[in-house]
């Protein structure tokens, strides 16, 4: 998550990505979902499908809380995240 200086949009230099001078803060985190499934008969594809469908759902609340907490600690503008983000 990045906080970009509003001056970037009015700079009009045609760039899609802001230069470092316009980035005011970056919040990043890495979350790991480690699942233990006690069913050896399931094929590997089933494990992958489970992770793709569920990991985002399981990890989203942790990212949401972390980002909001970091915004408050750094006195950045509060960002309202939805309760869950539906994968594209």
């Amino acid at each position: 998550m990045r906080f970009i200086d509003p001056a970037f949009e009015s700079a009009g230099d045609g760039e899609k990505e802001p230069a470092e001078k316009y980035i005011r803060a970056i919040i990043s985190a890495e979350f790991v979902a480690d699942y233990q499934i006690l069913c050896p008969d399931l094929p590997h594809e089933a494990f992958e499908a489970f992770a793709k469908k569920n990991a985002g759902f399981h990890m989203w609340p942790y990212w949401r809380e972390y980002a909001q907490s970091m915004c408050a600690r750094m006195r950045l503008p509060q960002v309202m995240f939805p309760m869950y983000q539906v994968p594209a």
Side-chain angles (χ1 to χ4, degrees):
M1 182 169 133
R2 298 186 299 181
F3 286 84
I4 309 296
D5 191 320
F8 171 69
E9 292 186 19
S10 61
D13 56 8
E15 295 290 324
K16 289 188 176 190
E17 282 294 314
E20 284 188 32
K21 66 181 182 178
Y22 292 109
I23 299 172
R24 297 295 175 243
I26 297 174
I27 298 174
S28 65
E30 182 175 321
F31 296 94
V32 177
D34 188 16
Y35 297 102
Q36 181 179 3
I37 300 174
L38 303 174
C39 185
D41 299 336
L42 288 175
H44 183 70
E45 294 79 22
F47 294 120
E48 289 182 7
F50 176 85
K52 285 182 183 179
K53 296 284 184 185
N54 292 289
F57 180 73
H58 295 152
M59 301 308 293
W60 180 255
Y62 296 100
W63 162 250
R64 185 176 184 263
E65 187 281 328
Y66 177 78
Q68 289 176 334
S69 176
M70 290 296 106
C71 286
R73 290 178 186 186
M74 295 188 287
R75 298 182 186 201
L76 294 168
Q78 290 296 309
V79 178
M80 295 301 295
F81 290 96
M83 291 299 287
Y84 179 67
Q85 181 174 347
V86 178

